[in-house]
Amino acid sequence: MDEVAEAHRQEWGRVLAATTRVTRDLDLAEEFTQDAFAQALRTWPESGVPDRPGAWLTTVARNRALDFLRRAAQERKTLPLLVPDDAIPGPEQILEDDLLRLVFTCCHPALARDAQVALTLRLVCGLSTGDVARAFLVQETTMAARITRAKKKILAAGIPYRVPPPDQLVDRLAAVLEVLHLIFTTGHVAPSGPDLVRRDLVDSAIGLTRKLRLLMPGTAEVSALLALFLLVEARSATRTDSGGRLLLLSEQDRSQWDRDLINEGVAALTDALTRASPSRYAVEAALAAVHAESASWEETDWSGIIALYDVMRASWPSPVADLNRAVALGMRDGPAAGLEALEPLADEPALAAYHYLSAIRADFLRRLGRTAEAIAAYEEALALTDNEAERAFLLARHAALL
């Protein structure tokens, strides 16, 4: 049923977070959340979709959890519990948000960083274990075991289901920011499915980052991350046309960009830069600001963008930064220069299954008139792409060359 699938995309993380607050056990919470969606599949076709699907699903999942706990006569002896909220007073008494609690739980320093990210993708974003495995380029069985071990470690270590007290926030911040960035990027271009964007993940990332900024006012990295999200989100209305076709930056109607979000994003970036040296998120936000403030595609400051990527590569080197710099170089100096910059990345293991490398290479080859090579590169990109909006774009480019 399409409505249940949509509710799963929109509400999974919130329903799971609210249920975890009752069970104190991630496995149980996940089981009862899945039961709630199964109940929706049975009930909604006959009774109709409720006005507030998320509230309906949360009520069903929480009721099942409460029934289970009532039946467990020895629950505190037989169930591995997370530390109760009231065991250690924390900022959640001021800032209530079950989803933010779940993010902090997944990002506890007792867990390895890859486990933190995997848990967040699975529990907060609601991605299938298979999708999480593809993101990490490992087998599904391997990822399933990794997620299970992480959840067991949370239970064994008695990790609290809460926003930590102020003296522990700084130690947890880097992981939380990375996870929020991951939630946003996963939503910005959905890993699979018919739509380019997963609106629920984008909205959650922005909302949680706003709340984190309230929790940690004056923290430059939080302001920088919020700036990045807002400056990218300002273009959201123009990323596809009315039929869902993907539109490149060069095709977008900039008069439709959200100026309020751009102004807020620039203000948040300015705040971040006045408080501390530029962080990785501040540089990424500055890159987004260059695009947001360019009056037209032709007036884009590609030299400024290349300079910012040089800063990124010097302080936070990554193959993706190298790839994006190659794109900017190709835009400023022509496709031959861009293609030359891509050559060292061809054997980069981290980009082996990254479809953007093949897609960008295909575009440079197309612009150079090297048709046969461009066709082959588009076919390679298509083999690595599961998002249907991106596939439709690549298929159109491929067909135009045949």
Side-chain angles (χ1 to χ4, degrees):
M1 184 178 179
D2 291 344
E3 291 83 359
V4 176
E6 179 63 19
H8 188 280
R9 285 191 293 271
Q10 297 287 339
E11 305 292 350
W12 168 269
R14 294 181 181 87
V15 177
L16 178 65
T19 309
T20 303
R21 191 175 183 184
V22 174
T23 64
R24 312 294 172 191
D25 183 305
L26 290 171
D27 279 329
L28 286 174
E30 194 169 4
E31 178 183 339
F32 297 134
T33 300
Q34 289 170 342
D35 285 348
F37 281 96
Q39 182 64 39
L41 280 172
R42 293 189 294 270
T43 303
W44 291 3
E46 296 181 4
S47 63
V49 179
D51 293 336
R52 298 171 59 209
W56 188 97
L57 290 160
T58 299
T59 299
V60 171
R62 286 167 62 92
N63 285 345
R64 296 203 174 200
L66 290 169
D67 288 343
F68 177 87
L69 293 175
R70 278 193 287 264
R71 291 196 304 267
Q74 300 296 321
E75 65 178 65
R76 291 195 177 274
K77 294 180 180 178
T78 61
L79 291 179
L81 303 180
L82 298 177
V83 174
D85 297 355
D86 55 4
I88 305 174
E92 74 276 11
Q93 294 171 346
I94 301 171
L95 183 64
E96 284 287 335
D97 192 296
D98 283 331
L99 200 56
L100 194 59
R101 293 171 188 240
L102 186 56
V103 169
F104 272 100
T105 300
C106 290
C107 294
H108 194 278
L111 302 175
R113 185 58 59 89
D114 62 346
Q116 294 171 349
V117 174
L119 266 185
T120 301
L121 286 173
R122 177 71 190 96
L123 300 179
V124 179
C125 301
L127 298 187
S128 70
T129 303
D131 280 342
V132 180
R134 281 190 286 276
F136 279 81
L137 305 179
V138 299
Q139 295 294 319
E140 185 171 347
T141 52
T142 301
M143 181 51 65
R146 186 179 299 177
I147 290 172
T148 298
R149 285 196 300 271
K151 287 193 286 189
K152 286 182 177 178
K153 189 163 189 177
I154 286 175
L155 298 173
I159 291 173
Y161 176 58
R162 64 184 179 89
V163 176
D167 62 328
Q168 296 177 18
L169 280 173
V170 174
D171 292 338
R172 201 87 61 91
L173 182 62
V176 170
L177 293 178
E178 183 174 331
V179 160
L180 290 174
H181 186 271
L182 178 67
I183 294 172
F184 183 86
T185 54
T186 302
H188 184 67
V189 179
S192 60
D195 300 319
L196 178 65
V197 177
R198 273 195 58 175
R199 188 75 258 157
D200 58 315
L201 298 185
V202 170
D203 290 345
S204 289
I206 293 173
L208 290 171
T209 306
R210 287 189 187 281
K211 290 175 181 176
L212 188 60
R213 197 181 187 204
L214 291 175
L215 190 67
M216 303 180 71
T219 305
E221 279 195 293
V222 180
S223 293
L225 187 65
L226 180 61
L228 171 61
F229 292 169
L230 296 177
L231 289 164
V232 172
E233 174 62 10
R235 309 193 300 259
S236 61
T238 62
R239 292 181 63 210
T240 58
D241 64 16
S242 57
R245 183 180 71 88
L246 186 151
L247 297 176
L248 300 177
L249 265 176
S250 58
E251 302 174 297
Q252 294 177 19
D253 179 0
R254 297 180 181 227
S255 68
Q256 299 301 309
W257 288 0
D258 190 324
R259 302 311 306 182
D260 289 338
L261 285 184
I262 290 173
N263 292 337
E264 185 184 356
V266 170
L269 176 58
T270 302
D271 175 66
L273 293 175
T274 58
R275 293 181 183 279
S277 299
S279 64
R280 175 169 67 93
Y281 300 122
V283 176
E284 289 186 24
L287 284 162
V290 172
H291 288 296
E293 296 186 313
S294 296
S296 68
W297 172 253
E298 291 74 22
E299 296 176 67
T300 302
D301 180 9
W302 292 112
S303 293
I305 288 175
I306 291 169
L308 286 169
Y309 277 119
D310 286 339
V311 172
M312 182 82 71
R313 294 166 75 213
S315 299
W316 306 280
S318 76
V320 173
D322 292 338
L323 177 61
N324 289 330
R325 185 185 184 279
V327 173
L329 195 66
M331 295 302 173
R332 188 190 71 178
D333 299 340
L339 195 61
E340 182 180 357
L342 288 181
E343 286 182 7
L345 305 178
D347 298 323
E348 174 59 56
L351 300 178
Y354 197 57
H355 68 280
Y356 292 118
L357 173 59
S358 299
I360 292 163
R361 185 169 177 274
D363 185 60
F364 286 151
L365 291 166
R366 177 186 64 83
R367 291 164 57 193
L368 288 167
R370 293 163 60 175
T371 304
E373 293 172 89
I375 289 172
Y378 277 124
E379 290 172 351
E380 184 176 288
L382 282 163
L384 297 171
T385 307
D386 291 324
N387 182 281
E388 292 180 21
E390 289 191 314
R391 285 187 60 80
F393 174 84
L394 293 170
L395 283 168
R397 283 288 176 91
H398 178 266
L401 295 176
L402 298 177

